[in-house]
Amino acid sequence: MTDPNCIFCKIAAGHIPSFKVFEDDVVFAFLDIGPLVTGHTLVIPKAHYPTVMETPPEVLSAINARIPALSRAVLAATGAKACHVLVNNGSEAMQSVDHLHYHILPRKPGDSFRIPWNAGTLDKASGSSLAESIKSELAR
Ligand code: 5GP
Ligand code: ZN
């Protein structure tokens, strides 16, 4: 379950060096080479899955089981008290490496990191039809 052309598969296998912070049988965590903030950490499955949509629930469970301790450790090491845990799924969602990865991004008051969050307004009609459409997809 690895892709010979995938940079994160090579990092998880130790064929490309990284600043590793954690490893078990399923999960690998390491510092991002292009940090958006100090402490920017990536958490990946060792096996190659492109996005959450293809990843088996048990692999997601193994990653999620490690996220609290990893986040606490990143926060403690950087002196931050808050963080984003963020996954980009697909190129339109800003995914550039095609191997599932969770970003842990510690945040501090006054830091320069920004996520544009241009909230719209959900009206009753479109909310209702969209929720119905998602529910029927789930029931398929
Ligand atoms: P994405 O945009 O796909 O959600 O994030 C990919 C992340 O992987 C980026 O933050 C980028 O800096 C990081 N990255 C890409 N190549 C490497 C690498 O070779 N080593 C490490 N440590 N991080 C990488
Ligand atoms: Zn991979």
Side-chain angles (χ1 to χ4, degrees), residues 40-94:
H40 186 169
T41 300
L42 300 174
V43 188
I44 65 173
K46 285 185 167 175
H48 183 89
Y49 301 104
T51 74
V52 289
M53 286 80 87
E54 298 85 17
T55 308
E58 61 273 19
V59 174
L60 292 175
S61 292
I63 297 171
N64 278 309
R66 300 298 180 184
I67 292 287
L70 280 165
S71 299
R72 287 194 300 270
V74 170
L75 293 184
T78 57
K81 291 190 166 54
C83 67
H84 302 279
V85 176
L86 184 151
V87 182
N88 298 327
N89 293 284
S91 54
E92 295 86 349
M94 292 169 24

Side-chain angles (χ1 to χ4, degrees), residues 37 106-114:
V37 291
R107 298 299 307 270
K108 289 183 177 172
D111 67 21
S112 60
F113 181 61
R114 295 285 175 275

